[in-house]
Amino acid sequence: MLVSVLLNAFGNALTVKTALGSAPWTAASLNLSSVFGITVGQALIIVGFIVLIADDFLRGRRSRSLLRDSFNFLYVLSFGYMIDVWLLLMRHMTVNGFILRIAVCVFGIMCIGCALSIYFRVNLVLHPFDDLMKILREKFFHGNVVLAQRVSLGIPLAVGLSIGLVRHQLIGISIGTAVSFLCMGYFILLFDKVLKLHLDRKWTISLPLHHGHHVHAHSKV
């Protein structure tokens, strides 16, 4: 999970640095950060908290869980602040040339896809953005993941475009946004095949005792 958070934040920070468009939720947060004078990570945390509340409303009273919401919000906090850390570390980095910017932007999106592949298989918590897609898929679109993804990602795109139209300045929505919107699912499937995560593999610890005897402890990861 830690690797997933670090890699996801790194990929998003790269797309921000190239200024060629970011993933839809990050693009919306970029526009909000510009309006309110806050960092991208702080904007993502605020948006994540709002979506968390919306998720609970859509899920219904019977399915609400304070413990689950607490863990999901901790994930939102760690992810938001980690993006700010990466952007701080990259503050002196420059990416020159249109072709190089495209390459770095696509690489960043692939890093996000790799991180999501790990994150979905670890299956410990859900970011409210992903939880929203899950709720839409199960409760409103009869299991249609494509439609659920389009609607859930259409929300931040609409927010980003609306802010851009009002301010006459479009931030974070460009080629990278289109690549993320159209190809992220394929990147996740690719890394599902490439990364062999044996998360259910048994491991053994050998504990030495007196007189040369050993005791073996078995568990599962």
Side-chain angles (χ1 to χ4, degrees):
M1 179 59 72
L2 179 60
V3 170
S4 173
V5 172
L6 290 170
L7 190 59
N8 197 341
F10 174 73
N12 275 283
L14 280 181
T15 64
V16 171
K17 288 295 293 185
T18 61
L20 279 178
S22 302
W25 288 107
T26 306
S29 299
L30 274 166
N31 282 276
L32 289 170
S33 71
S34 176
V35 170
F36 296 108
I38 57 179
T39 67
V40 179
Q42 289 168 343
L44 275 166
I45 290 169
I46 293 169
V47 173
F49 181 68
I50 294 170
V51 175
L52 180 66
I53 295 172
D55 289 346
D56 272 349
F57 177 77
L58 291 171
R59 189 180 286 110
R61 185 176 298 177
R62 293 182 180 180
S63 300
R64 291 172 189 169
S65 168
L66 181 60
L67 182 62
R68 177 184 58 210
D69 285 350
S70 299
F71 280 116
N72 288 357
F73 185 64
L74 285 174
Y75 185 88
V76 169
L77 283 175
S78 61
F79 178 64
Y81 283 121
M82 201 64 240
I83 285 183
D84 282 346
V85 168
W86 278 121
L87 287 173
L88 182 64
L89 293 173
M90 295 177 185
R91 65 189 182 278
H92 299 305
M93 186 184 91
T94 56
V95 185
N96 297 317
F98 185 67
I99 301 300
L100 181 59
R101 287 168 64 202
I102 289 179
V104 173
C105 184
V106 172
F107 176 72
I109 293 168
M110 291 185 72
C111 286
I112 298 169
C114 180
L116 290 175
S117 170
I118 297 169
Y119 152 79
F120 285 127
R121 281 183 283 172
V122 170
N123 196 29
L124 286 177
V125 295
L126 274 179
H127 194 291
F129 302 158
D130 302 312
D131 206 10
L132 174 63
M133 185 181 73
K134 183 172 180 286
I135 294 167
L136 290 174
R137 177 187 179 184
E138 293 174 354
K139 290 196 67 174
F140 299 98
F141 299 129
H142 310 290
N144 189 326
V145 67
V146 174
L147 186 57
Q149 183 195 37
R150 296 278 167 84
V151 172
S152 65
L153 293 182
I155 295 169
L157 278 177
V159 171
L161 288 170
S162 299
I163 294 172
L165 289 172
V166 170
R167 303 186 72 210
H168 305 289
Q169 183 184 14
L170 198 60
I171 302 173
I173 300 176
S174 187
I175 298 170
T177 313
V179 173
S180 176
F181 187 82
L182 297 172
C183 302
M184 186 62 74
Y186 297 111
F187 289 152
I188 293 172
L189 289 174
L190 170 66
F191 287 108
D192 281 349
K193 295 177 181 179
V194 171
L195 296 176
K196 304 298 182 183
L197 299 180
H198 302 289
L199 297 176
D200 59 347
R201 183 171 57 187
K202 292 181 179 180
W203 49 267
T204 303
I205 296 178
S206 181
L207 302 175
L209 299 177
H210 296 295
H211 309 297
H213 296 290
H214 290 74
V215 62
H216 297 280
H218 300 276
S219 186
K220 277 190 174 183
V221 177

